[in-house]
Amino acid sequence: MRIGVPTEIKSNEFRVGLVPGSVRELVARGHEVVVQSGAGNGIFADDATYEKAGARIMPNAEAVFAQSEMIVKVKEPQAVEYRRLKPHQILFTYLHLAPDPEQALGLMASGATAIAYETVTDPAGGLPLLAPMSEVAGRLAIEAAAMALRRPTGGRGVLMGGVPGVRPARVVVLGGGVVGTHAARMAVGLGAEVAILDRSLPRLRQLDELFGGRVRTLASTMDSVEMEILTADVVIGAVLVAGASAPKLVTRDMLRHMKRGAVLVDVSIDQGGCFATSRPTTHADPTFEVDGIIHYCVANMPGAVPVTSAQALNNATLPFVIKLADKGLAAFDRDPHLAAGLNVRDGRIMHSSVAASLGFDGSQTKTVRVAAE
Ligand SMILES: NC(=O)c1ccc[n+]([C@@H]2O[C@H](COP(=O)([O-])OP(=O)(O)OC[C@H]3O[C@@H](n4cnc5c(N)ncnc54)[C@H](O)[C@@H]3O)[C@@H](O)[C@H]2O)c1
């Protein structure tokens, strides 16, 4: 199959759909890979590196889209991109269609097959192509918190790990899933005192085993959240209720009772945030203060470390890219987890909850398609 990798055009996106190592794997299996010139600049992989891995370099995105049977990207296609898609093509990338009817209509109108990283599943019921970015965001959350805790940036002036004779920072992690576990791991590594709160008792048992008693685990209730944040230097918001907005676990009123200069890192901001006072921020201006509490609410945290993030993403996506390249659309018949990633095909939304979120049923999709064309 001929696979195309265009340069990401969404602002501040430095990752790339395939890193050179993935290109080499695909080429070794007899596939062709075409890469837009400069697509790897954000991760310091130049055209010569891609050529060495076996790719052909194309001068622009038009050429990549025109020549490829499958396009592998990172971010959802922008309007100029989905207008280039043709019915025989496969698009494999993050889509996040549910809140984005314009993109949904554009993909439906293209007739292409669009597979969303975020809805591909694994046998354990997880989302294997979301997990790597949660791992990155969880680890980064503690780096961000450590920076924000410094006095010159408005923070409380506490060193994460303390020093002998001085108490370390108290870090409270709300939600002990992928983000929360990786945040806790980093905080423990720096020597902080760590508590993890989760609603799931089985998950708390796993975390207790995993950390060998090095973190406190607590059932998440209104009482326990309120108690823990009173003495926290850092609170990491890492809750997720699948398919719903994040629950607001910390109200504005609670901020008044927290330590001045404490730091809230709301990783769940992409689902609306779990602190009532959160609003999305960017890497250019990541923090703001409310009632003396520093808030860090960057919605695309992995974007700050594209070299790590692109490789982590490729580690997870490559097996699926290979399946699609080897078998084409027949790959869906053999792999129900990849099939769960199918969002758009033949002008229709194929994923039931995405369709429901967009307010489409079977007949509505058809009506909308005609309107889009
Ligand atoms: N900002 C970013 O750049 C970025 C990057 C990656 C992930 N995220 C977001 O981070 C959030 C967490 O992702 P994840 O992969 O860790 O999810 P996950 O499903 O692995 O973990 C979520 C955890 O939250 C727990 N939970 C749910 N309700 C709770 C409550 N009321 N109190 C305490 N715990 C509760 C669940 O039991 C689960 O263990 C998601 O919203 C995800 O989209 C953001």
Side-chain angles (χ1 to χ4, degrees):
M1 181 183 276
R2 188 178 296 147
I3 301 150
V5 183
T7 305
E8 292 296 320
I9 54 173
K10 192 163 178 182
S11 72
N12 280 316
E13 180 53 63
F14 299 104
R15 291 172 292 178
V16 58
L18 292 177
V19 298
S22 300
V23 172
R24 187 174 171 197
E25 295 284 334
L26 287 160
V27 171
R29 283 171 168 79
H31 300 294
E32 275 182 74
V33 182
V34 295
V35 174
Q36 183 177 347
S37 178
N41 284 352
I43 59 162
F44 302 97
D46 60 13
D47 291 353
T49 308
Y50 274 99
E51 278 177 324
K52 198 163 160 235
R56 268 193 305 131
I57 302 298
M58 296 279 136
N60 51 40
E62 286 90 329
V64 172
F65 276 81
Q67 299 209 12
S68 306
E69 294 157 83
M70 171 161 66
I71 307 283
V72 180
K73 275 175 46 63
V74 179
K75 280 299 197 189
E76 72 277 8
Q78 307 300 292
V80 62
E81 294 178 308
Y82 55 65
R83 286 196 196 110
R84 288 193 181 117
L85 287 169
K86 297 281 179 294
H88 67 279
Q89 290 179 315
I90 299 172
L91 172 69
F92 193 33
T93 190
Y94 287 119
L95 292 177
H96 297 291
L97 279 185
D100 192 352
E102 209 172 309
Q103 188 206 158
L105 291 173
L107 287 174
M108 290 157 77
S110 77
T113 300
I115 309 162
Y117 290 162
E118 70 273 11
T119 65
V120 171
T121 55
D122 67 20
L127 299 171
L129 305 190
L130 271 186
M133 294 307 101
S134 288
E135 292 171 350
V136 171
R139 291 182 178 220
L140 207 53
I142 297 299
E143 289 188 13
M147 290 295 290
L149 262 184
R150 295 178 186 180
R151 197 72 195 101
T153 50
R156 189 162 175 76
V158 173
L159 184 62
M160 268 291 177
V163 289
V166 182
R167 194 179 190 132
R170 298 186 91 132
V171 176
V172 173
V173 181
L174 303 177
V178 182
V179 169
T181 305
H182 284 264
R185 206 183 270 274
M186 287 288 280
V188 165
L190 287 174
E193 268 183 47
V194 182
I196 308 181
L197 282 70
D198 202 291
R199 270 195 329 190
S200 158
L201 202 49
R203 184 62 194 150
L204 290 174
R205 290 196 180 105
Q206 285 172 345
L207 290 166
D208 186 58
E209 292 249 329
L210 185 69
F211 286 99
R214 177 64 181 75
V215 304
R216 279 185 302 125
T217 56
L218 291 161
S220 175
T221 60
M222 281 191 279
D223 270 355
S224 63
V225 170
E226 213 168 276
M227 286 290 290
E228 285 302 312
I229 66 163
L230 285 183
T231 53
D233 298 293
V234 171
V235 183
I236 307 291
V239 300
L240 176 64
V241 178
S245 297
K248 302 283 183 242
L249 300 184
V250 176
T251 63
R252 176 152 192 173
D253 185 54
M254 290 182 195
L255 299 190
R256 286 197 293 116
H257 306 291
M258 291 183 68
K259 294 185 195 169
R260 297 305 84 192
V263 174
L264 304 182
V265 178
D266 203 342
V267 187
S268 302
I269 190 67
D270 62 342
Q271 300 292 330
C274 61
F275 309 125
T277 40
S278 294
R279 59 173 165 78
T281 59
T282 62
H283 289 294
D285 189 11
T287 57
F288 61 93
E289 190 196 309
V290 179
D291 297 343
I293 306 298
I294 311 299
H295 292 55
Y296 175 103
C297 306
V298 174
N300 66 331
M301 294 175 68
V305 286
V307 173
T308 303
S309 299
Q311 184 63 56
L313 181 60
N314 269 237
N315 290 347
T317 55
L318 184 62
F320 295 104
V321 174
I322 289 173
K323 272 187 195 173
L324 285 163
D326 287 349
K327 311 272 183 236
L329 297 181
F332 295 133
D333 304 334
R334 293 159 189 248
D335 185 342
H337 300 295
L338 177 59
L342 187 57
N343 275 221
V344 185
R345 190 172 183 177
D346 295 333
R348 296 175 67 86
I349 301 288
M350 304 298 288
H351 192 283
S352 54
S353 41
V354 172
S357 301
L358 285 164
F360 294 166
D361 64 18
S363 58
Q364 279 173 329
T365 43
K366 225 171 155 197
T367 317
V368 173
R369 184 181 179 204
V370 172
E373 285 168 351

